[in-house]
Amino acid sequence: MPSSLSAQNKNKRRQFPATVFWFSLGIVMEVCGSSSPTLREFGCEQNLLSRPDGSSSFVQGDTSVLAGVYGPAEVKVSKEIYDRATLEVVMQPKVGLPTVRERAREQCVRETCKASLLSTLHPRSSLTLVLQVVHDDGSLLSCFLNSACMALMDAGLPMSCLFAGVTCAIDTDGQVITDPNAAQEKESRALMTFAIDSTERRVMMSSTRGSFTVHELQQCIAVSQKASDKIFQFYRDSVRRRYSKTL
Amino acid sequence: MKHLLINLVSRGTEMNFVGFRSDVRTLDEPTWLTKNTMAAGFKTAEPLEYHRSFLKENCRPDGRELGEFRTTTLNIGSISTADGSALVKIGNTTVMCGIKGELANPPVDAPNKGYIVPNVDLPPLCSSRFRPGPPGERAQAASQFIADVIESSAVIQKEDLCIVKGKLCWVLYCDIMCLDFDGNLLDACLIALLAALKNARLPEVTVNKETEAPEVNLESRRSLNIHKHPVGASFIVFDDSIMIVDPTAEEESLSTATITVVTDEEERLCALHKPGGTSLSGEKLQNCISRATTRHKEVRKLIDKVIQSAKTPK
């Protein structure tokens, strides 16, 4: 790397320090007892890559995703939309090429981001969100959503609301497990992932696996809404902490 | 309805095409024709406003109510070379499904199971929005959705497809092809798949003990054991608030969110697929689910009737 570039990078780092902030739920759990949904320990680092306009790494237990956002930038004429920005989501698995499953997940993340972004403010431009799996230990789709939201925030793109991804598994005894790991996912009877919006705590995205009753669905949505509060609180705390240093 | 339709359209045109209308009036056309020409112009220039003017009156441009499905027609056994097939039409949307059985070695991690491989194809023939070449995102997402529904609903138990444990099993290739794309692809695909599976008859296979080679007896065929009947119902959200069932391609392109609910005969949900879009309250979701259960009964009745009529000799 040329020395001038690395110096520039260092400069950038100094101006906008990357914030690492861990949020442990160990204490909260003890206080609230079993009534509050338990999430694995989660954390986030923003602005860790120098080239993208916004980047984040989101960690939920052992699941980890790296996200980068480019844009608003110039758009290919064939993809240009005259009244809004074109959003593209690219998902990279840990090994190998993206499969059909990744394409289906890309669609889910893209449509969720599209609904929260105020893309009409950047007409005829492109936004690209790249999501790289670092490690998959269950609840991957929710981790994708959370890292995407943090990266969009880091890029400073105008959004109408934030969103949080929560995965719920129903085990063979009918118990709801929030934020399951890979082993719990495998043993579960049904698995649901929801994206919850920050304004009214409603369901923006839903993706399910396995069969379940309507009552179980409602139960899982209620649990996800509760769990999303913790994630939104984390978003708020980490952003506050980050900008308290720069302002 | 027709009267109301013209009424609505003419009200819209007055707002939007004042200059244009005077032009049209100079032509010596009957009033209804003038109105139709203007309606087409209005539809092209302001599609969103055009649909809004209908939805305000709780109806849709094609004369349906908000909770009304298009006419669904089903034909089974239309492809004689396939082991099972079905053709489904929902309004203009036409989807065809063919089932082909092949023999293979079972997967190593599950020696007592077979394979089901669904594939949804959206050729350029079905709509101008699809280009030739490798399958686009829409087709891939649909294929994944169908695979997920097969997996979650357990429509066929994969153990049933095993012939000799660890040695021989069936692979069911479920090729779904769209011939005419006018919205609500997933519902049509699910009905086509289910009807084709119910129609499929696989030949009997025995393994020769001496040579260990499989012998296929094409004369005696058996139908598959269908455990569950997953049926979908799709909805779109218009202007962040109005829910519409069974959208056409045009309505889909104007929607802010789409939802597909798949239910089985025990009123359990096999999938609640909402790929993003505007958020929905629990109450609205509940409405979708109850509409999906009534739709399940309708489709189930249709499939049973068609299969029954195919059985009785003419």
Side-chain angles (χ1 to χ4, degrees):
Chain A
M1 190 186 276
S3 61
S4 64
L5 195 65
S6 75
Q8 238 179 6
N9 276 347
K10 267 185 203 154
N11 236 341
K12 190 185 169 190
R13 291 248 153 183
R14 214 167 297 135
Q15 265 182 326
F16 304 102
T19 41
V20 187
F21 178 43
W22 291 90
F23 184 75
S24 167
L25 282 159
I27 308 156
V28 183
M29 256 162 54
E30 270 175 47
V31 177
C32 303
S34 59
S35 66
S36 90
T38 54
L39 298 164
R40 288 178 289 176
E41 194 173 80
F42 62 96
C44 178
E45 185 178 354
Q46 278 185 312
N47 197 26
L48 71 164
L49 301 173
S50 64
R51 299 302 295 170
D53 296 302
S55 59
S56 79
S57 146
F58 204 91
V59 183
Q60 288 176 221
D62 286 337
T63 305
S64 170
V65 168
L66 189 62
V69 177
Y70 291 91
E74 202 177 344
V75 66
K76 253 201 244 166
V77 181
S78 59
K79 287 181 182 165
E80 191 181 270
I81 308 174
Y82 71 93
D83 63 346
R84 68 190 66 198
T86 310
L87 177 66
E88 226 180 314
V89 175
V90 184
M91 227 167 248
Q92 294 291 342
K94 197 169 158 188
V95 278
L97 293 168
T99 58
V100 178
R101 187 172 293 278
E102 269 74 38
R103 295 310 285 275
R105 282 181 172 159
E106 271 172 20
Q107 192 191 31
C108 287
V109 175
R110 191 191 58 222
E111 295 302 314
T112 310
C113 294
K114 231 188 203 173
S116 74
L117 281 168
L118 297 167
S119 55
T120 42
L121 296 178
H122 300 288
R124 299 179 299 282
S125 54
S126 91
L127 299 173
T128 312
L129 171 64
V130 187
L131 296 161
Q132 170 70 53
V133 181
V134 179
H135 187 71
D136 178 12
D137 185 34
S139 313
L140 187 64
L141 184 55
S142 57
C143 197
F144 274 138
L145 288 162
N146 293 330
S147 66
C149 188
M150 282 304 238
L152 292 174
M153 263 200 273
D154 184 42
L157 292 167
M159 291 162 95
S160 60
C161 63
L162 300 177
F163 52 88
V166 184
T167 302
C168 297
I170 303 175
D171 66 12
T172 40
D173 305 330
Q175 289 291 316
V176 177
I177 307 166
T178 43
D179 199 20
N181 60 30
Q184 287 168 323
E185 265 188 13
K186 211 173 176 190
E187 281 166 22
S188 68
R189 185 159 57 80
L191 190 73
M192 309 174 205
T193 303
F194 301 106
I196 310 283
D197 76 294
S198 63
T199 47
E200 284 169 278
R201 303 283 189 275
R202 287 191 190 165
V203 178
M204 284 183 94
M205 194 243 17
S206 140
S207 168
T208 64
R209 201 205 71 198
S211 71
F212 43 89
T213 62
V214 180
H215 178 73
E216 284 169 334
L217 173 77
Q218 284 167 338
Q219 205 182 339
C220 285
I221 291 179
V223 166
S224 304
Q225 284 168 331
K226 247 187 205 167
S228 73
D229 283 343
K230 287 183 181 170
I231 299 171
F232 289 131
Q233 192 54 49
F234 168 74
Y235 283 172
R236 185 159 292 140
D237 291 346
S238 66
V239 169
R240 181 178 294 141
R241 201 173 261 227
R242 178 177 170 194
Y243 287 104
S244 67
K245 286 179 191 167
T246 49
L247 290 179
Chain B
M1 183 50 84
K2 188 154 195 181
H3 171 74
L4 179 66
L5 208 128
I6 292 172
N7 227 344
L8 281 166
V9 174
S10 63
R11 204 172 57 195
T13 40
E14 267 166 40
M15 289 189 313
N16 288 283
F17 288 110
V18 181
F20 182 62
R21 205 176 70 157
S22 60
D23 276 5
V24 178
R25 262 197 189 157
T26 52
L27 299 170
D28 226 0
E29 280 175 336
T31 357
W32 65 269
L33 190 62
T34 330
K35 278 182 174 162
N36 269 1
T37 325
M38 287 198 300
F42 178 33
K43 194 178 164 187
T44 321
E46 288 279 354
L48 207 57
E49 203 53 52
Y50 176 78
H51 277 84
R52 259 181 215 142
S53 64
F54 282 93
L55 295 174
K56 229 184 277 162
E57 308 288 333
N58 276 327
C59 73
R60 290 149 79 171
D62 51 10
R64 281 188 287 161
E65 283 173 27
L66 303 190
E68 200 179 329
F69 275 84
R70 289 170 286 180
T71 321
T72 309
T73 46
L74 175 63
N75 184 320
I76 58 165
S78 10
I79 311 170
S80 57
T81 48
D83 293 319
S85 60
L87 178 83
V88 174
K89 286 190 81 164
I90 300 183
N92 284 333
T93 302
T94 312
V95 169
M96 180 144 231
C97 177
I99 310 267
K100 192 80 192 145
E102 273 182 26
L103 295 171
N105 292 326
V108 181
D109 56 340
N112 60 339
K113 287 185 180 179
Y115 305 85
I116 307 175
V117 185
N119 185 44
V120 179
D121 192 11
L122 294 171
L125 168 82
C126 70
S127 169
S128 61
R129 73 181 72 190
F130 304 117
R131 299 272 125 218
E137 197 208 58
R138 184 95 194 231
Q140 289 190 30
S143 297
Q144 182 65 45
F145 175 76
I146 299 292
D148 284 347
V149 170
I150 292 173
E151 189 75 29
S152 355
S153 65
V155 55
I156 289 180
Q157 304 225 306
K158 284 188 181 163
E159 286 82 0
D160 293 354
L161 299 174
C162 182
I163 302 164
V164 181
K165 193 181 168 187
K167 292 263 170 62
L168 196 64
C169 73
W170 281 109
V171 189
L172 288 186
Y173 290 104
C174 312
D175 286 311
I176 303 171
M177 186 176 266
C178 183
L179 303 178
D180 191 346
F181 181 87
D182 192 18
N184 205 359
L185 176 75
L186 298 181
D187 285 15
C189 287
L190 276 175
I191 299 173
L193 175 80
L194 185 57
L197 285 174
K198 287 194 81 124
N199 175 242
R201 294 173 71 78
L202 293 178
E204 210 167 83
V205 180
T206 47
V207 179
N208 191 319
K209 278 189 185 136
E210 284 168 25
T211 57
E212 286 204 345
E215 285 170 356
V216 182
N217 181 8
L218 291 170
E219 298 303 302
S220 88
R221 286 174 173 267
R222 265 185 328 131
S223 47
L224 291 161
N225 203 353
I226 309 289
H227 290 266
K228 291 278 167 65
H229 293 76
V231 174
S234 291
F235 307 81
I236 58 158
V237 183
F238 195 89
D239 271 351
D240 303 340
S241 56
I242 307 164
M243 299 276 303
I244 306 175
V245 306
D246 186 21
T248 60
E250 206 185 323
E251 284 165 340
E252 263 178 16
S253 62
L254 297 169
S255 70
T256 51
T258 58
I259 308 153
T260 303
V261 184
V262 182
T263 53
D264 66 13
E265 59 266 48
E266 288 161 18
E267 299 199 1
R268 288 171 76 86
L269 299 168
C270 304
L272 182 79
H273 185 66
K274 182 179 186 297
T278 45
S279 53
L280 272 192
S281 61
E283 191 190 334
K284 285 233 166 86
L285 277 176
Q286 193 57 50
N287 286 345
C288 293
I289 294 167
S290 46
R291 182 68 187 92
T293 44
T294 50
R295 171 71 175 166
H296 184 275
K297 289 186 189 109
E298 292 163 21
V299 172
R300 190 67 205 282
K301 216 184 267 173
L302 174 75
I303 294 178
D304 286 346
K305 217 164 136 190
V306 172
I307 287 182
Q308 204 58 47
S309 71
K311 270 184 195 159
T312 49
K314 275 162 202 146

